[in-house]
C-alpha cells in the first residue's frame, strides 16, 4: 500500500515519476494541485497560466526482495486546453509522463464531454501513459451537480471501446474528489493508488519503473523527447 508523506520524513526515493493534470479550465485542477502540494484546502487559487510543478515523496510496497520503497511523484498542473494550444511547445508538456490525471467537474457537463479531446492529446503526445479520472467539486450542493454517474459510466464505456480497456479497470482509476472539503480524502487515495499502480510490474502492461527517472543514475534530460505524428 502506498503512503503519502506530508512531513518529508521518508527515506531517499529510488525513482521519480511525472504526473500531469489535464482538463478544461475551471474544473479545479489548480486547487487539486495546491492540496497535493500543501495538504491544505485552497482558499483562493489563481488559474494556471503555463504550468506549476509540485513534488510528493510516497512510500510504496517493495518489488522483489525489497520490503518497501519510496518514490517521488512530480505533479504538473497545466492551464486549460485553450491556453496550452497557444503554446508552440505544447507537446513538451507530455515529455516523460507516466500517468495522466484527467479532471472534470460535477457542475460542468462539457468538461466531461471534452475529456475525449484531452485523452486524444495524451495518447498522441505521451508514451503509453496510465490514465486516471478525477470527478471534482463533489462538495458542491446537489442542485449544482449536472454530471451524473450514468454520464460517467457512458464516458468510460466509450473510452474502454476506443482504447481496448475494460470498464472495470477504468472504474478502479476513477475518484470523486474535492480540494476544498478536507473530510473528502479521495485525492489522497488517488495519489496513493497511482503511486502503487505505476510502480507495480504488469500494471497496464508496463514494468515497474517504466517511464521513470532513476534518481541514482540519470536525469530527466537523458530521455529523448517523443514526437507525435497525429
Amino acid at each position: 500500500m502506498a503512503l503519502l508523506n506530508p512531513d518529508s520524513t521518508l527515506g531517499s526515493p529510488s525513482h521519480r515519476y511525472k504526473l500531469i493534470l489535464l482538463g478544461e479550465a475551471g474544473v479545479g485542477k489548480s486547487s487539486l494541485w495546491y492540496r497535493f502540494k500543501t495538504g491544505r484546502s485552497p482558499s483562493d487559487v489563481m488559474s494556471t497560466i503555463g504550468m506549476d510543478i509540485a513534488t510528493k515523496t510516497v512510500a510504496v510496497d517493495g518489488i522483489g526482495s525489497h520490503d518497501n520503497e519510496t518514490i517521488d511523484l512530480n505533479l504538473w498542473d497545466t492551464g486549460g486546453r485553450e491556453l496550452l494550444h497557444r503554446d508552440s511547445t505544447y507537446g513538451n508538456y507530455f515529455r516523460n509522463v507516466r500517468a495522466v490525471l484527467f479532471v472534470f467537474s460535477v457542475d460542468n457537463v462539457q468538461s466531461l464531454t471534452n475529456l475525449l479531446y484531452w485523452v486524444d492529446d495524451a495518447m498522441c503526445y505521451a508514451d503509453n501513459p496510465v490514465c486516471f479520472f478525477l470527478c471534482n467539486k463533489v462538495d458542491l450542493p446537489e442542485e449544482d451537480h449536472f454530471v451524473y454517474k450514468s454520464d460517467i459510466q457512458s464516458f468510460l464505456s466509450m473510452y474502454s471501446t476506443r482504447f481496448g480497456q475494460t470498464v472495470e479497470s477504468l472504474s478502479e482509476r476513477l475518484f470523486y474528489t474535492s480540494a476544498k472539503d478536507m473530510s473528502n480524502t479521495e485525492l489522497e487515495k488517488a495519489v496513493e493508488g497511482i503511486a502503487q499502480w505505476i510502480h507495480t510490474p504488469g500494471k497496464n502492461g508496463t514494468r515497474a519503473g517504466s517511464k521513470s527517472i532513476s534518481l541514482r543514475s540519470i536525469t530527466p534530460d537523458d530521455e529523448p523527447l517523443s514526437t507525435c505524428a497525429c
Side-chain angles (χ1 to χ4, degrees):
M1 169 154 183
L3 176 66
L4 290 183
N5 175 38
D7 300 319
S8 298
T9 57
L10 295 176
S12 298
S14 60
H15 289 79
R16 178 185 298 136
Y17 295 95
K18 178 179 176 181
L19 285 56
I20 190 168
L21 289 162
L22 290 179
E24 297 298 297
V27 296
K29 299 188 302 296
S30 296
S31 294
L32 291 169
W33 178 89
Y34 180 87
R35 179 157 168 180
F36 171 89
K37 179 182 179 182
T38 68
R40 300 194 302 270
S41 173
S43 54
D44 186 18
V45 176
M46 297 289 290
S47 295
T48 301
I49 306 297
M51 73 177 77
D52 287 319
I53 305 170
T55 301
K56 182 80 68 177
T57 302
V58 180
V60 295
D61 291 340
I63 299 169
S65 60
H66 300 283
D67 291 334
N68 54 68
E69 295 182 77
T70 57
I71 62 174
D72 272 353
L73 299 180
N74 285 354
L75 182 63
W76 294 45
D77 178 27
T78 62
R81 192 169 194 266
E82 68 283 0
L83 297 175
L84 279 177
H85 276 188
R86 297 174 188 168
D87 189 342
S88 61
T89 63
Y90 177 59
N92 290 347
Y93 289 108
F94 297 90
R95 182 179 182 178
N96 297 329
V97 165
R98 182 64 187 91
V100 180
L101 284 66
F102 295 103
V103 185
F104 60 99
S105 59
V106 296
D107 62 338
N108 185 345
V109 175
Q110 200 67 32
S111 70
L112 177 62
T113 303
N114 288 348
L115 218 55
L116 279 176
Y117 296 112
W118 288 104
V119 169
D120 285 344
D121 284 353
M123 294 304 171
C124 177
Y125 290 106
D127 181 13
N128 192 31
V130 185
C131 301
F132 296 83
F133 305 92
L134 305 183
C135 178
N136 198 34
K137 301 187 181 182
V138 296
D139 57 291
L140 290 175
E142 191 67 32
E143 58 267 24
D144 292 332
H145 288 215
F146 301 110
V147 175
Y148 303 103
K149 290 188 176 181
S150 58
D151 300 321
I152 299 171
Q153 288 302 309
S154 295
F155 170 83
L156 293 181
S157 295
M158 182 188 308
Y159 183 93
S160 67
T161 301
R162 195 165 183 172
F163 295 97
Q165 300 181 43
T166 66
V167 175
E168 291 75 15
S169 174
L170 296 175
S171 296
E172 291 177 3
R173 290 175 262 152
L174 168 66
F175 299 88
Y176 294 87
T177 58
S178 169
K180 296 182 178 181
D181 180 4
M182 294 305 293
S183 68
N184 181 300
T185 59
E186 285 292 293
L187 176 61
E188 287 75 13
K189 291 177 182 177
V191 173
E192 293 170 4
I194 290 167
Q196 194 64 58
W197 188 288
I198 64 179
H199 198 65
T200 300
K203 287 287 191 180
N204 200 42
T206 60
R207 61 178 173 82
S210 174
K211 294 305 292 180
S212 73
I213 303 301
S214 173
L215 301 184
R216 300 191 181 104
S217 58
I218 62 174
T219 64
D221 291 335
D222 290 327
E223 293 198 24
L225 173 62
S226 61
T227 57
C228 176
C230 53

